[in-house]
């Protein structure tokens, strides 16, 4: 298996890479995103063989199709070390809850930080440690977070050899629960940095530090953002797990609704479908930041400015552009790297948008690739949280509520709809209180975390000061 960039030109595209070469990388050198040269195909006999496999072994089977430069025994061991009942709370790892006939929640948020990002990040932590040891290298992850990504990264990398995490977040802007989750990590290799500013200030710092190529090389600066291929690959596994749990034979099809921001999660669903998993529809659910819903309705992809990016009660989907979307557009355009480069490398930076509405390829997004979409607002969210509680006795978080709301608009008779639950309600307690008039349940292991000792440095958004901090930690 080799990987190419979505902006690669020429046949065959220049310099395909192997998995471990792109594992620690973000963007391809040409600014594109990595994708496998072809999608491995899973036939019906294989799918049947996978029925009943424990999650870790299913993960191994699927990852083996994408990774050929880690010995099989090592890869299996990494999967078994990652996907344990101890870390993810149940033996099923991603259990289904039946709400009613044909409507299910698939739990992806029982990992250490109670959001689905743990599903991929926990694997990434083990893969990074393995590969860095093999190379005898170190890596300093430097990132910005407004909540879920940073804590998932820190919980995945804590105590890992060869890795340090420097995570900036806007001072005082995360929920008290999220702050407690991150800042109570006292591990030597975890550095929490609260920046006196907003999230954009944090992102600018990351850009400035990563843009200094000498510094980046000297201090081995890397990222773990959602465009990393290994994260996407790890997410493919739970689409198979959801399908296998909700069907008895491979003649059945199911649909998924996915609360979406950067298009990472649902892009993994697209990859699963391209591999032959019998998925009818992939329904993209957005909040008020409806960049993706607009595209799937009209063919227009329009990046939002800061003033147009809303702060919502499903904050992990508050995006101005969808970083992984380029991967799907590359496939939609018949894997035309030159056109993809023109759209994302030229039209988007210059005009902030492109329009495929009149392109015959656009109609295929629904007909050939199964995509549908919808949008949910704060009022929809509150209503869905209330209805789900009253009708099914289940409390869902705000992002999952967006998914459920949109899922209802796309259900088809005879096709089970699986809504991906992307976080637990305790992470977004204020909105649950607003909807239900009471606090959501808190898993026992998080009792009293707000009172734990905290390790965090508060700093001004000063590039040199941040560089000094990283340099000092490395000496
Ligand atoms: C990150 C996140 C999302 C959005 O996922 P994408 O892969 O960016 O589309 C949705 N819900 C929660 C709770 C998240 O943390």
């Amino acid at each position: 298996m080799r990987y190419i960039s979505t902006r690669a030109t020429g046949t065959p595209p220049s310099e395909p890479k192997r998995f471990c070469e792109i594992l620690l990388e973000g963007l391809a050198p040409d600014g594109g995103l990595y994708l496998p040269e072809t999608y491995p195909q899973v036939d019906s006999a294989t799918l049947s063989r996978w029925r009943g496999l424990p999650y870790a072994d299913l993960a191994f089977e699927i990852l083996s199709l994408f990774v050929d430069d880690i010995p099989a025994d090592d890869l299996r061991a990494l999967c078994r070390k990652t996907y344990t009942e101890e870390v993810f709370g149940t033996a099923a790892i991603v259990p289904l809850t039946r709400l009613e006939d044909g409507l299910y929640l698939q739990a992806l948020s029982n990992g250490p930080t109670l959001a689905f990002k743990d599903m991929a990040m926990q694997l990434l932590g083990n893969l990074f440690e393995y590969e860095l040891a093999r190379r005898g290298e170190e890596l300093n992850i430097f990132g910005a977070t407004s909540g879920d990504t940073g804590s998932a990264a820190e919980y995945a990398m804590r105590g890992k050899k060869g890795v340090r995490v420097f995570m900036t977040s806007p001072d005082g802007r995360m929920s008290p629960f999220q702050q407690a989750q991150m800042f109570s990590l006292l591990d030597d290799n975890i550095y929490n940095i609260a920046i006196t500013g907003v999230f954009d200030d944090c992102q600018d710092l990351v850009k400035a530090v990563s843009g200094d190529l000498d510094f980046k090389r000297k201090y081995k600066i890397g990222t773990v953002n959602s465009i990393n291929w290994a994260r996407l690959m790890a997410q493919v596994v739970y689409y198979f797990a959801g399908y296998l749990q909700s069907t008895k034979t491979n003649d059945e099809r199911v649909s998924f609704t996915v609360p979406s921001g950067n298009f990472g999660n649902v892009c993994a669903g697209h990859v699963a479908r391209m591999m032959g998993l019998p998925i009818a529809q992939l329904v993209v659910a957005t909040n008020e930041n409806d960049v993706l819903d607009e595209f799937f309705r009209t063919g227009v992809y329009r990046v939002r400015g800061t003033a147009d990016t809303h702060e919502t009660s499903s904050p992990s989907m508050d995006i101005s552009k969808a970083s992984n979307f380029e991967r799907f557009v590359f496939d939609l355009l018949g894997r035309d790297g030159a056109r993809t480069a023109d759209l994302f490398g030229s039209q988007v930076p210059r005009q902030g948008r492109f329009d495929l509405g009149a392109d015959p390829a656009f109609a295929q997004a629904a007909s050939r690739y199964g995509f549908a979409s919808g949008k949910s607002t704060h009022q929809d969210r509150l209503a869905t949280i209330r209805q789900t509680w009253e009708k099914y006795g289940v409390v869902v978080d705000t992002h999952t509520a967006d998914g459920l709301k949109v899922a209802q608009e796309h259900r088809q008779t005879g096709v089970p709809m699986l809504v991906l639950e992307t976080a637990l309600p305790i992470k977004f307690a204020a909105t649950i209180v607003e909807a239900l008039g009471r606090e959501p349940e808190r898993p026992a292991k998080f009792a009293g975390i707000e009172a734990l000792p905290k390790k965090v440095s508060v700093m001004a958004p000063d590039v040199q000061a941040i560089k000094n901090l990283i340099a000092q930690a490395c000496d």
Side-chain angles (χ1 to χ4, degrees), residues 115-117 148 259-265 316-317 397 399 422-423 428:
F116 87 95
K117 293 190 172 68
D148 292 340
S260 297
N262 276 316
F263 202 78
N265 195 350
S316 301
M317 294 165 22
D397 102 287
H399 308 75
T422 55
F428 306 96

Side-chain angles (χ1 to χ4, degrees), residues 69-195:
D69 49 356
I70 295 178
D73 286 346
D74 291 357
L75 189 60
R76 190 184 292 106
L78 288 166
C79 291
R80 288 189 176 164
K81 180 177 167 187
T82 303
Y83 297 110
T84 64
E85 179 167 359
E86 193 194 353
V87 175
F88 287 96
T90 62
I93 309 293
V94 290
L96 295 185
T97 303
R98 179 187 162 281
L99 295 180
E100 62 180 47
D101 276 350
L103 185 63
Y104 299 85
L105 284 178
Q106 184 176 355
L108 304 181
S109 47
N110 295 315
T113 73
L114 309 184
F116 87 95
K117 293 190 172 68
D118 291 329
M119 294 301 307
M121 210 68 95
Q122 287 288 316
L123 180 75
L124 211 63
N126 287 325
L127 280 171
F128 275 24
E129 186 177 53
Y130 174 86
E131 181 60 15
L132 288 168
R134 202 156 72 155
R135 296 185 194 180
E137 285 179 13
E138 290 194 349
L139 182 73
N140 291 304
I141 294 167
F142 182 48
T145 189
S146 53
D148 292 340
T149 307
S151 60
E154 290 188 355
Y155 278 76
M157 304 295 167
R158 64 186 296 198
K160 293 278 187 291
K161 287 185 223 58
V163 191
R164 292 182 196 85
V165 181
F166 300 87
M167 192 58 66
T168 60
S169 58
D171 187 26
R173 294 197 182 230
M174 290 191 297
S175 76
F177 186 87
Q178 286 177 316
Q179 292 185 40
Q181 250 188 346
M182 280 181 63
F183 301 167
S184 64
L185 287 182
L186 304 178
D187 305 72
D188 288 340
N189 69 330
I190 303 295
Y191 297 82
N192 286 304
I193 310 167
I195 299 293

Side-chain angles (χ1 to χ4, degrees), residues 109 114-117 147-149 178 226 231-232 235 238 258-267 285 292 314-319 322-324 397-400 420-424 427-428:
S109 47
L114 309 184
F116 87 95
K117 293 190 172 68
D148 292 340
T149 307
Q178 286 177 316
S226 76
R231 278 183 66 179
L232 210 88
Q235 294 173 341
Y238 54 70
V258 189
S260 297
N262 276 316
F263 202 78
N265 195 350
V266 75
C267 193
L292 290 168
S314 43
S316 301
M317 294 165 22
D318 291 351
I319 48 90
S323 328
N324 274 292
D397 102 287
T398 52
H399 308 75
T400 310
L420 299 190
E421 178 208 60
T422 55
L424 288 197
K427 292 198 94 170
F428 306 96

